[in-house]
Amino acid sequence: MAGRRVPAAGVVAGERALRVTSPPGWSEAELATLAAVAETFVRGGAVRRATLAAGAIERSLEPDQVRQLRRVLRLLESPAANLVLARRAARYRDLTPARRERYLLRWANSPIPQRRAAFHALRRLLTFLAYADPGETAANPHWRAIGYAAERPPATLDLSPVRPYALPAAGAAGTIELQADVVVVGSGAGGGVVAADLAAGGRSVVVLEAGPFVDETTMPASELDSFDRLYLDHGLAATRDGAVTLLAGAAVGGGTLINWMTWAMPPDDVRAEWQRDHGIAMGATFVADAAALGVELSVAPAPTLPPRDAAILRGAEALSWRASTIERNARDCTDCGSCSFGCPRGTKASGIRAHLATAQAHGARVVADARCNRVLVEGGRATGVEATAGTAVGLVKLLVRAPQVVVAAGALRTPGVLARSGIRHPSVGRHLRIHPAPVVAGRMFEPVRMWLGPLQAARLDEFAASQRGRLGYVVESAPAHLGLLAQAMPWEGADAHASVMQRAANIAPLVAVTRDGGEGRVVEAKRGGTRIEYRLDADGVATLRHALVSMARLSRASGALEVIAVGMPPAVFGREGVPSGGESTAFAAFEDRLSRFDFGPNRGSVFSAHQMGTARMGSDPRLHPCDTDGHVRSGARARDVVVRGLYVADASLFPTGIGTNPMLTIMALARRVARTVAAEG
Ligand SMILES: Cc1cc2nc3c(=O)[nH]c(=O)nc-3n(C[C@H](O)[C@H](O)[C@H](O)COP(=O)(O)OP(=O)(O)OC[C@H]3O[C@@H](n4cnc5c(N)ncnc54)[C@H](O)[C@@H]3O)c2cc1C
């Protein structure tokens, strides 16, 4: 996984299982305090949760962040500090449960951003673990109470043909060397397409993937295991201030392995803007590439409409709003909802089923657990890459000599690869777009079981870019499993949180994919990970508020008994017990509250599963680190100097957000870059 250390020795997927052992260096007092905090958030299983949490913190966060969290734990243990913070000279552990809650809530609502950040970091992790961890005996007590059972579809017998390439033994100098025509860094949506197209065109291709290879028989069966093995930073990626949870894939297949498969064309006005303002041809060739990719990925509407998506269509009809069913890249996929754990059935047309399989069928070598450190650039041209690979004998240096290098490590990691390779352009790492997604949860009368059925089968288009331009967004269902739901739901005390979670089976959550108002940047951090910063601007906040109001109306119109706008504090509208005459007035007051919702850092909850724009493509050498064919530009003064043989082919290329699901656009741009690479090889 990018940003995490490459495993110490020939790691196979099964060996990555979480270890419930305390990380070295953590004191008993720190762990006991963490357990007390865990118990305050969600009752039960706190000791195991604290151990899991400490391990996850150690493996996923930057050293200074780990130090900071441990400092917070020590602060909580200090009677002297608590005299100031909580007006009580006692250790946090020794406070009564009610006092512990009040203590945490003071941090949650503190005017000091660092306190809010610490509260939310711990809240997210500890509530997630409470509901995502199957427990020692695969019998998480919450699951039984809620009636949650992630389906365990039988693993397909028809395994994906992709097999990781077995590296040869290292030479005397402890280095493995490979030769290829093209090396592709990253095996996600963009990298997979480039590898397939070039290998099918007869080129010798090596794909390096920092994450592990997981086949269908060993796909995770639980949310916790899937976050641990398949997600960037074990699912703990977030902006530096903790305000935005960032989800991204990080195994062979990248985001395609775990994503929700929604296939969407970029809006017409975005295509027009990219062409007009950034010089990117978005006409007939783009449309033809998109259509061909749809065929390659068996794109089709979902065969069934699960309750959470039926609610979108029902609500939209009641409001006379535009909505549609969604096309998805899966075939024969009906019931199990395990798509975000990878797909044991093999019905999802993810990278390992589609483009990487094509690439391998044409001889491409897909190397898992191989993290590219830098591209080798000599005399202004790329000559290969240097990587660190996990092998049976430990970590080894891997050199891949190739005259052409395509970087497709995703928008959160590609800038680091370029920076470590000496690429200099002021926009590398900047202009990060994340499609900030606010959440509204509707509690229905009937069970919804959001975790089952084809993911995202319907969408609300009423406020799309075609209607609202720059401020456009689409509304989709959020097919979360319990861990993600638990961390998304507001926490105003253990009982209140537990009460919402007990009714999880009836919750139909909605997310809005907004076109960014605001942007961020990705800065290289010490351990090879990144520091990610993001700020909403006034347009961004206005769009999020507009989206909250629309989602609340949609949820109510689809029959929700209760509507929760997620944040701290949340805004809640309940129908039960309200006299019928008073409902409209109460809802109007609720809308008014949403239209002023606080989206300050760590107040309004914002998620992102789409990261883009950190090596943007375009015709202006001063603004765009990549030209319109994907070549990389570098040079402090002469920024239009192209590094020969070096290309980018992932979501980093987006010059702006698009306000809808990006996979199709990434793949179509990658195909364009593949044509450039083929023509110049
Ligand atoms: C939960 C979730 C649901 C989503 N649902 C949808 C959806 O329904 N529809 C849609 O259109 N989009 C969806 N997306 C987004 C979509 O999957 C991503 O935008 C897309 O995969 C990004 O493609 P990419 O090529 O830029 O990078 P990725 O697919 O992220 O691939 C980058 C790969 O590079 C690897 N890597 C990183 N650094 C290095 C390195 N130094 N060396 C080697 N390898 C490296 C990473 O491990 C990763 O595997 C979803 C994403 C998530 C997380």
Side-chain angles (χ1 to χ4, degrees):
M1 183 179 291
R4 77 183 187 196
R5 282 161 296 193
V6 176
V11 172
V12 292
E15 290 169 346
R16 285 175 180 264
L18 280 169
R19 284 171 301 278
V20 190
T21 48
S22 321
W26 283 61
S27 69
E28 273 179 31
E30 284 168 335
L31 286 168
T33 308
L34 190 54
V37 175
E39 182 71 17
T40 311
F41 280 121
V42 179
R43 294 198 188 96
V47 172
R48 175 180 162 93
R49 227 169 342 128
T51 313
L52 282 172
I57 288 167
E58 273 291 335
R59 282 177 305 147
S60 311
L61 302 188
E62 290 300 316
D64 64 317
Q65 291 176 298
V66 178
R67 274 196 300 276
Q68 211 168 317
L69 270 176
R70 289 178 64 182
R71 234 187 336 263
V72 167
L73 294 176
R74 286 197 295 273
L75 199 68
L76 289 171
E77 272 314 271
S78 153
N82 287 340
L83 185 61
V84 180
L85 295 170
R87 282 172 231 111
R88 226 141 257 259
R91 301 186 308 179
Y92 181 82
R93 268 187 278 169
D94 296 336
L95 299 176
T96 63
R99 281 193 197 285
R100 286 184 192 173
E101 281 200 354
R102 283 205 294 279
Y103 192 120
L104 289 187
L105 283 169
R106 264 199 297 276
W107 282 47
N109 297 309
S110 167
I112 302 169
Q114 290 83 350
R115 280 200 198 147
R116 294 204 304 276
F119 166 83
H120 283 289
L122 291 169
R123 174 190 65 79
R124 271 199 302 267
L125 180 56
L126 294 166
T127 55
F128 171 82
L129 288 171
Y131 288 88
D133 176 17
E136 271 164 58
T137 54
N140 182 318
H142 302 297
W143 294 6
R144 235 176 305 123
I146 293 166
Y148 169 82
E151 291 260 316
R152 302 273 182 279
T156 178
L157 296 176
D158 165 30
L159 283 184
S160 148
V162 172
R163 282 284 162 272
Y165 176 69
L167 288 169
T175 301
I176 297 173
E177 207 164 316
L178 302 177
Q179 307 280 340
D181 294 331
V182 186
V183 55
V184 180
V185 176
S187 67
V193 169
V194 170
D197 290 6
L198 292 172
R203 313 297 300 285
S204 147
V205 175
V206 167
V207 180
L208 298 186
E209 167 55 52
F213 172 76
V214 185
D215 73 20
E216 281 97 350
T217 58
T218 52
M219 281 296 170
S222 77
E223 195 181 7
L224 180 59
D225 192 25
S226 78
F227 269 52
D228 189 44
R229 288 203 270 150
L230 309 182
Y231 284 70
L232 187 66
D233 292 342
H234 309 276
L236 289 193
T239 49
R240 179 75 181 176
D241 62 5
V244 184
T245 303
L246 300 164
L247 297 173
V252 172
T256 70
L257 197 68
I258 45 92
N259 79 14
W260 298 348
M261 303 173 295
T262 292
W263 189 248
M265 270 298 264
D268 289 348
D269 80 316
V270 171
R271 284 169 46 210
E273 183 189 317
W274 283 17
Q275 181 128 13
R276 187 187 61 238
D277 297 349
H278 303 280
I280 305 171
M282 294 297 292
T285 306
F286 181 89
V287 174
D289 284 344
L293 284 159
V295 172
E296 286 159 35
L297 297 185
S298 314
V299 166
T304 58
L305 194 64
R308 63 179 131 72
D309 297 283
I312 293 181
L313 297 184
R314 189 168 65 243
E317 192 182 355
L319 293 163
S320 302
W321 283 355
R322 264 172 300 254
S324 54
T325 52
I326 285 178
E327 299 210 295
R328 311 150 63 252
N329 55 317
R331 62 183 164 78
D332 306 330
C333 158
T334 52
D335 53 354
C336 81
S338 304
C339 326
S340 54
F341 305 174
C343 174
R345 277 224 170 100
T347 55
K348 176 194 248 191
S350 68
I352 63 168
R353 279 275 154 191
H355 291 115
L356 294 171
T358 304
Q360 187 159 307
H362 289 91
R365 287 161 282 174
V366 179
V367 187
D369 292 318
R371 178 181 182 276
C372 169
N373 302 320
R374 64 187 179 107
V375 179
L376 305 171
V377 180
E378 290 161 29
R381 84 157 299 136
T383 58
V385 304
E386 183 202 290
T388 307
T391 72
V393 294
L395 293 179
V396 295
K397 184 166 155 189
L398 172 64
L399 286 176
V400 187
R401 306 266 180 212
Q404 289 176 299
V405 177
V406 182
V407 182
L412 298 179
R413 293 293 187 256
T414 284
V417 174
L418 295 179
R420 292 194 297 271
S421 312
I423 301 303
R424 297 285 167 260
H425 190 288
S427 288
V428 166
R430 293 187 176 265
H431 307 296
L432 171 70
R433 309 299 163 103
I434 61 167
H435 285 166
V439 180
V440 162
R443 181 169 60 79
M444 301 294 178
F445 182 69
E446 300 287 346
V448 173
R449 296 192 187 90
M450 71 186 97
W451 49 86
L452 291 181
L455 310 188
Q456 297 197 317
R459 157 174 57 215
L460 180 79
D461 304 309
E462 180 71 14
F463 305 102
S466 54
Q467 307 304 313
R468 283 176 46 86
R470 283 285 300 109
L471 308 182
Y473 56 89
V474 292
V475 174
E476 296 168 350
S477 64
H481 286 255
L482 290 187
L484 195 54
L485 183 74
Q487 66 159 280
M489 287 298 109
W491 189 89
E492 294 187 294
D495 287 340
H497 188 263
S499 149
V500 172
M501 288 305 293
Q502 264 156 23
R503 291 178 282 183
N506 290 46
I507 289 178
L510 297 169
V511 283
V513 178
T514 70
R515 197 172 168 199
D516 298 53
E519 58 176 32
R521 64 178 187 148
V522 172
V523 182
E524 186 71 343
K526 283 195 196 103
R527 214 164 77 176
T530 49
R531 203 175 76 218
I532 302 158
E533 292 162 4
Y534 188 87
R535 275 281 170 274
L536 290 162
D537 66 12
D539 280 348
V541 171
T543 306
L544 295 182
R545 289 175 174 160
H546 194 282
L548 281 188
V549 173
S550 309
M551 290 192 287
R553 287 183 187 165
L554 184 68
S555 192
R556 179 184 183 223
S558 67
L561 300 172
E562 188 180 40
V563 182
I564 305 170
V566 168
M568 202 67 201
V572 183
F573 166 75
R575 266 184 169 153
E576 290 155 315
V578 178
S580 56
E583 196 193 307
S584 299
T585 316
F587 193 73
F590 181 58
E591 286 183 318
D592 184 52
R593 174 135 187 243
L594 299 187
S595 66
R596 290 179 285 108
F597 205 74
D598 187 350
F599 277 104
N602 286 308
R603 293 207 191 271
S605 286
V606 181
F607 287 76
S608 161
H610 307 161
Q611 300 89 29
M612 305 146 288
T614 48
R616 49 199 337 221
M617 167 185 258
S619 50
D620 187 337
R622 287 163 310 151
L623 302 179
H624 302 109
C626 295
D627 73 11
T628 54
D629 294 316
H631 298 107
V632 176
R633 295 170 165 137
S634 178
R637 275 167 299 159
R639 284 179 203 127
D640 51 348
V641 173
V642 156
V643 181
R644 280 168 290 138
L646 180 59
Y647 315 81
V648 169
D650 61 17
S652 314
L653 290 175
F654 285 27
T656 68
I658 62 174
T660 192
N661 315 67
M663 171 170 54
L664 182 163
T665 308
I666 297 165
M667 290 183 171
L669 292 182
R671 176 146 290 172
R672 171 178 313 197
V673 176
R675 272 198 285 273
T676 311
V677 179
E680 294 174 358

